[in-house]
Amino acid sequence: MIDLRGIRKTYVMGETRVEALRGVDLHIGAHEFVSIMGPSGSGKSTLMNIIGALDRPSEGTYLLDGEDVSRLTDNQLAHIRNRKIGFVFQTFNLLPRKTTLQNVELPLIYGGYSPKERREKARMTLEQVGLGDRMDHRPAELSGGQRQRVAIARALVTDPALIFADEPTGNLDSRTGEEIMEIFTALNRDRQVTVLLVTHESDIAAHARRIIHIKDGLIDSDRLNHD
Amino acid sequence: MIDLRGIRKTYVMGETRVEALRGVDLHIGAHEFVSIMGPSGSGKSTLMNIIGALDRPSEGTYLLDGEDVSRLTDNQLAHIRNRKIGFVFQTFNLLPRKTTLQNVELPLIYGGYSPKERREKARMTLEQVGLGDRMDHRPAELSGGQRQRVAIARALVTDPALIFADEPTGNLDSRTGEEIMEIFTALNRDRQVTVLLVTHESDIAAHARRIIHIKDGLIDSDRLNHD
Ligand SMILES: Nc1ncnc2c1ncn2[C@@H]1O[C@H](COP(=O)(O)OP(=O)(O)OP(=O)(O)O)[C@@H](O)[C@H]1O
Ligand SMILES: Nc1ncnc2c1ncn2[C@@H]1O[C@H](COP(=O)(O)OP(=O)(O)OP(=O)(O)O)[C@@H](O)[C@H]1O
Ligand SMILES: [Mg+2]
Ligand SMILES: [Mg+2]
């Protein structure tokens, strides 16, 4: 399903080179529930951006469902990102001048839904993350954890086959965080959604069946969760 | 030191009213180390913004060191914010076109330091939070946790008497988070800095001597930490 081989990512800034990923091999199968942990700056978001087809590696290959992502056209990539993948960004990336509802409706624009269907689907997803009463607020009129939940709702609204979440509970109290994890767990269990989530919190990581540790741009350990 | 009485904050959006704070009384003395916890959307950042003199309450009074903050001139308020208070924002608020070093030097501009002194002070603070090798990066060239640490360094660089930190470790792995808490603890213990920090993590809250819980815009509990 997700097949990374020899993945490297180097940022060049004038004379400096930052090797964010230094040779990552990773295979994630369909329906898996995987956590990725590691120190700040170790390469987790860089890895997620490559897996989410938002960025290209400097070296190595990425096969997604058998297709070489680097050979796909921009249109094919956009299609994968819109239909197959739901991505929760570490820094939310909401549109500041749109309301919560508009932000969550956005991925449905090219999905062939009527405006009424889009509105209803977005509304239901927002209810699911506890923001049914914040639909007309703009991002600046929301708390940090509410913005995070809008980003989560936007990733879920298209019913994607793959959910990639980069620290989705960093701004949430433990109870709200558990409610979000329950959504991901149910999607994985009942709808076979593949879930890949980066987290700093071991309580959150423990919801996954497999836990991968990243350190200095390399995979440090990759084990099944035995809890 | 920090004296809040009957503090209310209501946001009016057309016909909707959101009562973010609904009558908060709070006294925090000099040299205290206080954690504030509570559910997402309960009013913590709103409270911090009022205490940090970044926002005004709709009702109630705020005395800071005996002075009524609502009666201060804009110049006096700016002076307090620049010299007395170090504020770590939940969403970092870094200047995107400035480097890490420039972002951290910024609060020192009106402090009477020479450019060389400013640079040195900023560099030392960045070393303290583990970012000595990221000084020329712009925010977009940093990881989430690195941006968070730049925001922390910027709050510390002026040697403030009061540190207000809104979820300073949300994007940090536990070890880096502990390093940051060690900085705050040392400032409180050795330099009598008053520390007020909002957090969702009880391990982080446990570093404080007093833990306040906020719920629905009101103080729900306020106890000494008996660990
Ligand atoms: N500018 C605004 N206009 C309208 N409502 C607002 C505005 N800012 C905040 N709110 C609302 O006020 C409430 C309190 O927000 P606040 O940011 O203080 O919460 P918080 O406790 O910091 O939450 P979190 O833990 O998610 O950061 C929230 O329900 C939020 O939707
Ligand atoms: N555009 C860029 N240019 C230069 N260096 C970069 C760029 N983006 C990221 N980096 C560097 O690459 C490294 C990995 O970054 P990444 O965002 O993947 O870390 P992370 O594991 O997600 O960290 P965190 O837990 O703090 O979010 C970091 O050291 C960062 O400074
Ligand atoms: Mg990251
Ligand atoms: Mg907040």
Side-chain angles (χ1 to χ4, degrees):
Chain A
M1 181 120 194
I2 288 171
D3 223 321
L4 303 175
R5 302 203 185 172
I7 294 290
R8 290 179 179 275
K9 181 73 181 184
T10 301
Y11 295 106
V12 182
M13 308 162 58
E15 308 227 340
T16 330
R17 288 164 61 84
V18 177
E19 293 193 344
L21 295 175
R22 305 195 288 127
V24 170
D25 299 319
L26 182 59
H27 178 80
I28 295 173
H31 318 322
E32 285 203 47
F33 194 148
V34 184
S35 282
I36 297 180
M37 302 185 80
S40 174
S42 55
K44 306 179 297 297
S45 295
T46 303
L47 180 63
M48 289 294 272
N49 290 341
I50 288 168
I51 292 175
L54 296 159
D55 196 11
R56 295 176 183 283
S58 312
E59 288 181 48
T61 48
Y62 173 24
L63 302 180
L64 177 61
D65 290 340
E67 291 198 275
D68 185 342
V69 174
S70 63
R71 291 174 193 277
L72 296 176
T73 65
D74 281 352
N75 269 345
Q76 287 170 313
L77 273 176
H79 181 88
I80 285 172
R81 273 187 236 125
N82 290 342
R83 303 293 186 85
K84 211 169 194 173
I85 293 171
F87 201 102
V88 185
F89 292 88
Q90 185 171 5
T91 46
F92 319 155
N93 297 9
L94 304 178
L95 298 179
R97 290 194 294 236
K98 300 278 181 205
T99 64
T100 289
L101 190 70
Q102 288 166 337
N103 263 287
V104 176
E105 280 182 306
L106 199 64
L108 299 171
I109 299 285
Y110 299 111
Y113 300 93
S114 71
K116 192 160 177 290
E117 286 169 326
R118 281 204 307 264
R119 178 171 294 275
E120 185 55 24
K121 226 169 162 4
R123 196 193 57 74
M124 277 177 31
T125 313
L126 281 164
E127 295 269 0
Q128 220 182 349
V129 299
L131 292 178
D133 60 353
R134 288 287 181 274
M135 294 199 291
D136 300 328
H137 288 232
R138 288 185 170 70
E141 296 163 335
L142 294 173
S143 78
Q146 289 168 344
R147 284 175 216 166
Q148 187 153 41
R149 282 180 276 160
V150 177
I152 292 165
R154 187 181 58 184
L156 299 179
V157 76
T158 51
D159 302 315
L162 303 151
I163 291 173
F164 302 143
D166 196 348
E167 301 192 36
T169 64
N171 282 283
L172 301 177
D173 55 283
S174 41
R175 182 167 154 191
T176 310
E178 282 300 317
E179 287 168 18
I180 295 302
M181 291 313 294
E182 179 47 38
I183 296 172
F184 291 159
T185 300
L187 286 170
N188 176 254
R189 181 190 59 221
D190 306 336
R191 303 242 294 271
Q192 285 77 50
V193 173
T194 305
V195 178
L196 185 56
L197 83 97
V198 172
T199 182
H200 282 310
E201 299 173 66
S202 24
D203 292 351
I204 296 293
H207 286 267
R209 266 180 250 106
R210 176 180 167 197
I211 301 182
I212 295 171
H213 281 264
I214 305 253
K215 198 174 169 192
D216 278 333
L218 291 168
I219 291 183
D220 193 48
S221 72
D222 183 349
R223 302 203 211 98
L224 289 178
N225 181 8
H226 293 294
D227 290 337
Chain B
M1 182 121 194
I2 288 169
D3 221 323
L4 303 175
R5 303 206 185 170
I7 293 292
R8 290 179 179 278
K9 181 73 180 183
T10 301
Y11 296 105
V12 181
M13 308 162 57
E15 309 228 337
T16 330
R17 286 165 63 86
V18 176
E19 292 194 344
L21 295 174
R22 305 195 288 128
V24 169
D25 299 320
L26 181 60
H27 177 79
I28 295 173
H31 317 324
E32 284 204 45
F33 195 148
V34 184
S35 283
I36 296 180
M37 302 186 79
S40 173
S42 55
K44 305 177 299 298
S45 296
T46 303
L47 181 62
M48 290 292 272
N49 290 339
I50 287 169
I51 292 176
L54 297 160
D55 196 12
R56 293 176 185 282
S58 312
E59 290 182 46
T61 47
Y62 172 26
L63 302 181
L64 177 62
D65 290 342
E67 294 199 272
D68 185 342
V69 174
S70 63
R71 290 175 192 276
L72 296 175
T73 64
D74 281 353
N75 270 344
Q76 287 171 313
L77 273 177
H79 181 89
I80 285 173
R81 273 186 236 126
N82 289 341
R83 301 295 187 82
K84 211 169 194 172
I85 293 171
F87 200 102
V88 185
F89 293 89
Q90 184 171 6
T91 46
F92 320 156
N93 296 9
L94 303 178
L95 298 179
R97 288 192 299 234
K98 300 277 181 205
T99 63
T100 288
L101 190 70
Q102 289 166 338
N103 264 285
V104 177
E105 281 182 304
L106 199 65
L108 299 171
I109 298 287
Y110 298 111
Y113 299 94
S114 72
K116 190 161 178 290
E117 285 169 326
R118 281 204 307 263
R119 177 171 295 275
E120 186 53 23
K121 225 166 159 12
R123 197 193 57 75
M124 277 177 35
T125 313
L126 281 165
E127 294 270 359
Q128 221 183 347
V129 299
L131 292 178
D133 60 355
R134 290 286 182 274
M135 294 200 291
D136 300 327
H137 288 232
R138 289 184 170 70
E141 296 163 335
L142 294 173
S143 77
Q146 289 168 345
R147 285 176 216 166
Q148 188 153 41
R149 283 181 274 161
V150 177
I152 291 166
R154 187 181 59 184
L156 299 179
V157 76
T158 51
D159 301 316
L162 303 152
I163 291 172
F164 301 142
D166 196 348
E167 302 197 27
T169 64
N171 282 284
L172 301 176
D173 55 284
S174 39
R175 180 166 155 191
T176 311
E178 283 300 316
E179 287 168 18
I180 295 301
M181 291 313 294
E182 180 46 37
I183 297 172
F184 291 159
T185 299
L187 286 171
N188 176 252
R189 181 190 59 222
D190 306 334
R191 303 240 296 269
Q192 284 76 54
V193 174
T194 304
V195 178
L196 186 55
L197 83 97
V198 171
T199 180
H200 282 309
E201 299 172 66
S202 24
D203 292 352
I204 296 293
H207 287 266
R209 266 182 250 106
R210 176 179 167 196
I211 302 182
I212 294 172
H213 281 265
I214 305 253
K215 197 174 171 194
D216 278 335
L218 291 169
I219 291 183
D220 194 48
S221 71
D222 183 348
R223 303 202 210 97
L224 290 179
N225 181 8
H226 293 294
D227 289 337

